């Protein structure tokens, strides 16, 4: 898990938005969520477990030596092909301190559903740069929309407009 307050000394977490090749050089781009990146860093792309080396860091066409939290960066890298990396992958330290999971707990605002949602319902979740199918493994509680105070423990179902604390299961 990422710390509540983030510093450049924390574990690097950069959700990858995309990649492209320009003049034979490979670029990965995204926003630094925690930690920092320095030219020459050996990093890992999860969940691919693919090692890469940062050859250059660009912000708005300007080459820099170090990227910090909140920077939208384009990284010139070696060690991976553009067909291998996808939006939603995570760039982190090598060896990785971040781990892939099958289940996670989240506060979900149910926006637009025709029917009710219950345990086993499948939906698309949009988080950072990832768009993944998940299923509601267990509905833990419904929460008040304004205060987020507990309304009901272990509800049988939720509707559009509800805020629910749920255990979600990834399809991949």
């Amino acid at each position: 898990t990422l710390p509540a307050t983030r510093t450049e000394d924390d574990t690097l977490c950069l959700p990858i938005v995309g990649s492209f090749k320009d003049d034979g050089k490979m670029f990965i781009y995204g926003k630094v969520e925690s930690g920092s990146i320095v030219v020459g860093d050996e990093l890992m792309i999860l969940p691919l477990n693919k090692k890469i080396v940062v050859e250059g860091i660009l912000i708005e066409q300007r080459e820099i030596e170090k990227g910090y939290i909140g920077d939208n960066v384009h990284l010139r890298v070696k060690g991976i092909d553009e067909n291998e990396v996808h939006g939603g992958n995570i760039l982190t330290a090598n060896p990785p301190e971040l781990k892939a999971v099958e289940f996670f707990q989240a506060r979900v605002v149910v926006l637009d559903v025709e029917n009710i949602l219950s345990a086993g319902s499948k939906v698309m979740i949009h988080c950072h740069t990832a768009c993944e199918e998940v299923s509601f493994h267990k509905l833990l509680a419904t929460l008040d929309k304004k205060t987020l105070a507990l309304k009901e423990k272990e509800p049988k179902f939720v509707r559009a407009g509800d805020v629910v604390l749920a255990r979600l299961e990834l399809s991949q």
Side-chain angles (χ1 to χ4, degrees):
T1 61
L2 293 174
T5 58
R6 301 174 189 170
T7 70
E8 67 179 86
D9 298 325
D10 292 332
T11 300
L12 172 67
C13 180
L14 185 148
I16 296 171
V17 174
S19 65
F20 62 92
K21 242 182 186 166
D22 186 26
D23 288 334
K25 296 176 182 170
M26 180 64 190
F27 288 86
I28 293 173
Y29 56 97
K31 181 178 181 181
V32 180
E33 295 290 333
S34 71
S36 60
I37 303 173
V38 178
V39 173
D41 278 353
E42 290 186 11
L43 303 173
M44 178 80 70
I45 296 179
L46 297 177
L48 305 174
N49 290 329
K50 191 86 173 181
K51 294 178 187 176
I52 64 160
V53 176
V54 177
E55 294 183 320
I57 304 170
L58 292 99
I59 296 178
E60 297 180 7
Q61 309 298 326
R62 187 173 46 94
E63 190 116 5
I64 60 172
E65 290 296 315
K66 188 171 185 177
Y68 297 94
I69 301 165
D71 287 347
N72 287 301
V73 295
H74 285 75
L75 305 174
R76 190 173 61 249
V77 299
K78 68 177 179 182
I80 195 161
D81 191 67
E82 73 179 309
N83 299 330
E84 295 177 281
V85 65
H86 303 288
N89 290 155
I90 301 293
L91 188 61
T92 189
N94 182 29
E97 294 178 31
L98 303 175
K99 303 289 183 210
V101 297
E102 294 176 33
F103 295 91
F104 64 96
Q105 186 172 304
R107 183 175 62 219
V108 179
V109 179
V110 182
L111 295 176
D112 187 24
V113 292
E114 303 260 333
N115 297 316
I116 61 173
L117 295 175
S118 61
S121 296
K122 294 186 183 223
V123 297
M124 292 301 290
I125 190 167
H126 302 270
C127 183
H128 289 284
T129 60
C131 181
E132 296 289 331
E133 184 178 61
V134 298
S135 62
F136 283 90
H137 184 257
K138 185 174 184 179
L139 301 177
L140 302 172
T142 53
L143 307 173
D144 182 84
K145 292 178 203 176
K146 293 180 182 174
T147 65
L148 298 179
L150 180 73
K151 279 176 53 176
E152 178 186 359
K153 283 188 175 182
E154 298 187 14
K156 299 284 185 219
F157 60 88
V158 291
R159 294 187 168 105
D162 286 345
V163 178
V164 62
L165 188 61
R167 180 178 164 93
L168 303 173
E169 180 179 10
L170 294 164
S171 61
Q172 291 185 336

